[in-house]
Amino acid sequence: MSQADTAIRILDAAEVLFAERGFTETSLRTITSTARVNLAAVNYHFGSKKELIQAVFERFLTPFTLELNRKLEPYQQTKEPIEVDRLLHSLYGAVLSSMTVQGRNPQRFMRLLGLAYTQHQGHLRRFIVARYGNSYRAFAGLLKNALPELDPSTFYWRLYFMLGATIFSLSSFDAIEAILREDFGARSNLQETLGKLVPVATAMLMAPTVDTDIDSKKTK
Amino acid sequence: MSQADTAIRILDAAEVLFAERGFTETSLRTITSTARVNLAAVNYHFGSKKELIQAVFERFLTPFTLELNRKLEPYQQTKEPIEVDRLLHSLYGAVLSSMTVQGRNPQRFMRLLGLAYTQHQGHLRRFIVARYGNSYRAFAGLLKNALPELDPSTFYWRLYFMLGATIFSLSSFDAIEAILREDFGARSNLQETLGKLVPVATAMLMAPTVDTDIDSKKTK
DNA sequence: GTCTATAACGCGATAGAC
DNA sequence: GTCTATCGCGTTATAGAC
């Protein structure tokens, strides 16, 4: 093994193991032995486990955000609203192209994003908001302009519903794909599944705004 | 403290702490000291931490499943499809009514469900599938009948998109509600938000089936 | 049924030799 | 920059007194 790829070997191993098991469930001992580097190397190269977690996220969020900004840039110029499905197309396209360029695994990207939401890691949330919050707000702003008839509260709930549908289902992509393959022999790939998501996410954002009353008393 | 409510005090504390931090991040020491019982009580009453986790899920999944079955029972008789929004109404209604009957917190229910998906706990997944898989399949079957024009692969992906939108966004209900309240002074409660979800989830399930091609090369 | 005490182990982090 | 050895602590689980 050459000298200075130690940090990269650690990042590669940590990315896979974190995505599989979560942060707390993955010990530095497992990471360093998988990466076949010394136990002390994580603390030497990254300082602490927390900083290693942030470095893993930085390595895929930075190219993703750059690619998303690049795709949204032409839309920022104009004042008139962009179609919802074009914005979603840009968002999902940025996931695919930022990952495939580097030969990385986009499913793992989605799993890690899901973990960032779910796991109780305050430092990670703060890190992501501080570093990538502007890009998120830019996308949300464009989407809001595309849906001027929604009141703010309804818009933001629907934005979270959309992000939930995306991150949550695709973070289990491999598991769901395996079930569908077994039961129907239907193979899916992520690109095709993201293609299925565009009309679905568009429909949910643009659904009619007739709030239903969920009464726990009524049976039907 | 009386004698035999020890197990209940442990369940109450564990439910809150698991929902807040996750399973691995919550130690038996934290649980037992919060419940003000002895450290050894968990192992005495439940056998192990894993069995305590399962007991927490059993306590809210069993009433929920019974209530859902009760709501779906009239639909099982007939052969003709039920409307999608009525099925979703039953599903969300079962969450609310099974929780409010016992004065429990439905947000916590959603958070725990999210954790069950996300966290790496094989025993819990097996426990839930073995215990509640039949109810899940009954609901999925009715929904599939309601959407006869969808091919199986598209149907199941959309089912997961819908579950993702529901579980993922509502498991962060308190956090999202706080953001919306701060930014727009818009108060939400869970019942109202589930009401917003019915038309959205209906629209996503019934969206037109024009798969979009996400080409990583194209910019727009 | 409940307690104390402790076994047995895995964890993150670091000091210090090389 | 990499190694070994180890510190100090927190973890689950259990044995045995009450």
Side-chain angles (χ1 to χ4, degrees):
Chain A
M1 155 183 13
S2 75
Q3 308 147 333
D5 61 358
T6 300
I8 292 170
R9 298 171 62 85
I10 291 173
L11 281 173
D12 288 341
E15 183 178 296
V16 171
L17 291 165
F18 286 155
E20 276 174 3
R21 327 178 177 188
F23 308 119
T24 320
E25 296 82 354
T26 306
S27 69
L28 294 183
R29 287 172 154 78
T30 308
I31 293 169
T32 50
S33 68
T34 303
R36 283 184 296 170
V37 301
N38 189 268
L39 171 60
V42 167
N43 286 283
Y44 179 77
H45 285 283
F46 298 94
S48 68
K49 187 181 180 179
K50 285 185 180 181
E51 287 165 290
L52 170 61
I53 294 173
Q54 293 173 9
V56 166
F57 275 79
E58 185 174 29
R59 192 168 63 150
F60 71 78
L61 278 182
T62 295
F64 164 71
T65 307
L66 288 174
E67 179 63 19
L68 180 62
N69 290 346
R70 198 182 68 74
K71 281 187 201 298
L72 296 182
E73 205 178 335
Y75 301 155
Q76 302 281 14
Q77 321 290 344
T78 172
K79 266 270 175 191
E80 49 189 303
I82 318 301
E83 294 91 333
V84 170
D85 59 340
R86 288 175 77 192
L87 289 171
L88 293 173
H89 201 279
S90 299
L91 180 68
Y92 297 151
V95 175
L96 280 182
S97 58
S98 71
M99 293 292 102
T100 48
V101 160
Q102 315 167 53
R104 307 266 292 297
N105 183 330
Q107 287 100 291
R108 209 182 294 137
F109 174 109
M110 303 305 303
R111 264 205 88 71
L112 289 168
L113 264 191
L115 288 180
Y117 267 77
T118 304
Q119 303 254 75
H120 190 253
Q121 297 274 346
H123 69 96
L124 180 57
R125 198 176 287 253
R126 287 190 294 276
F127 171 80
I128 291 175
V129 169
R131 198 79 138 230
Y132 306 102
N134 280 340
S135 291
Y136 167 77
R137 277 186 292 273
F139 177 82
L142 286 169
L143 194 61
K144 199 165 193 305
N145 283 344
L147 295 159
E149 72 282 6
L150 297 181
D151 67 280
S153 169
T154 301
F155 167 75
Y156 277 102
W157 273 114
R158 289 188 178 189
L159 174 60
Y160 287 112
F161 295 154
M162 186 273 285
L163 292 175
T166 305
I167 297 175
F168 186 93
S169 58
L170 295 186
S171 82
S172 304
F173 180 88
D174 291 343
I176 298 172
E177 203 274 335
I179 292 170
L180 296 188
R181 186 158 25 94
E182 237 175 73
D183 292 1
F184 309 107
R187 294 196 143 274
S188 316
N189 61 52
L190 188 68
Q191 182 171 337
E192 176 200 304
T193 306
L194 285 169
K196 284 190 195 302
L197 241 176
V198 170
V200 169
T202 305
M204 70 191 292
L205 287 166
M206 300 182 68
T209 53
V210 272
D211 289 10
T212 311
D213 181 39
I214 308 276
D215 186 349
S216 49
K217 303 290 181 299
K218 273 184 292 189
T219 299
K220 45 174 170 170
Chain B
M1 156 184 11
S2 75
Q3 308 147 331
D5 60 358
T6 301
I8 291 169
R9 299 170 62 85
I10 291 172
L11 281 173
D12 288 342
E15 183 177 298
V16 171
L17 291 165
F18 286 154
E20 276 174 3
R21 326 177 178 187
F23 308 119
T24 319
E25 296 81 354
T26 307
S27 69
L28 294 183
R29 286 172 149 79
T30 308
I31 292 169
T32 51
S33 69
T34 302
R36 284 184 296 169
V37 301
N38 189 268
L39 171 58
V42 168
N43 285 284
Y44 178 79
H45 285 282
F46 298 94
S48 67
K49 187 181 178 179
K50 285 185 181 182
E51 286 165 290
L52 170 61
I53 293 173
Q54 293 173 10
V56 167
F57 275 79
E58 184 174 29
R59 191 168 64 149
F60 70 81
L61 278 181
T62 295
F64 164 71
T65 307
L66 289 173
E67 180 63 19
L68 179 62
N69 290 347
R70 200 183 67 74
K71 281 187 200 298
L72 296 182
E73 205 178 335
Y75 301 154
Q76 303 279 16
Q77 321 290 343
T78 172
K79 266 268 173 192
E80 48 189 302
I82 318 301
E83 294 90 334
V84 170
D85 60 340
R86 287 175 77 193
L87 289 171
L88 292 174
H89 201 279
S90 299
L91 180 68
Y92 298 151
V95 175
L96 279 183
S97 58
S98 70
M99 293 293 103
T100 48
V101 159
Q102 314 167 50
R104 308 265 292 297
N105 184 331
Q107 286 101 289
R108 211 181 294 138
F109 174 109
M110 303 306 302
R111 265 204 88 71
L112 289 167
L113 264 191
L115 288 181
Y117 268 77
T118 303
Q119 304 252 76
H120 189 254
Q121 298 273 347
H123 70 97
L124 180 57
R125 197 176 287 253
R126 287 190 294 277
F127 172 80
I128 291 176
V129 169
R131 199 75 141 232
Y132 307 102
N134 281 339
S135 291
Y136 167 76
R137 279 185 291 274
F139 177 82
L142 286 169
L143 194 61
K144 201 167 191 305
N145 284 344
L147 295 160
E149 70 284 6
L150 297 182
D151 66 280
S153 168
T154 301
F155 168 73
Y156 276 102
W157 274 114
R158 288 188 180 190
L159 174 59
Y160 287 112
F161 295 154
M162 186 274 283
L163 291 175
T166 305
I167 297 175
F168 188 95
S169 58
L170 296 185
S171 83
S172 303
F173 180 88
D174 291 344
I176 298 172
E177 203 273 336
I179 292 170
L180 296 188
R181 185 157 26 94
E182 237 175 73
D183 293 2
F184 309 107
R187 295 198 143 274
S188 315
N189 62 52
L190 188 67
Q191 182 170 339
E192 175 200 304
T193 306
L194 285 169
K196 284 189 195 302
L197 241 176
V198 170
V200 169
T202 305
M204 69 190 294
L205 287 166
M206 301 183 68
T209 53
V210 274
D211 288 10
T212 311
D213 179 40
I214 309 276
D215 186 349
S216 49
K217 303 291 179 299
K218 273 184 294 188
T219 298
K220 46 171 168 174

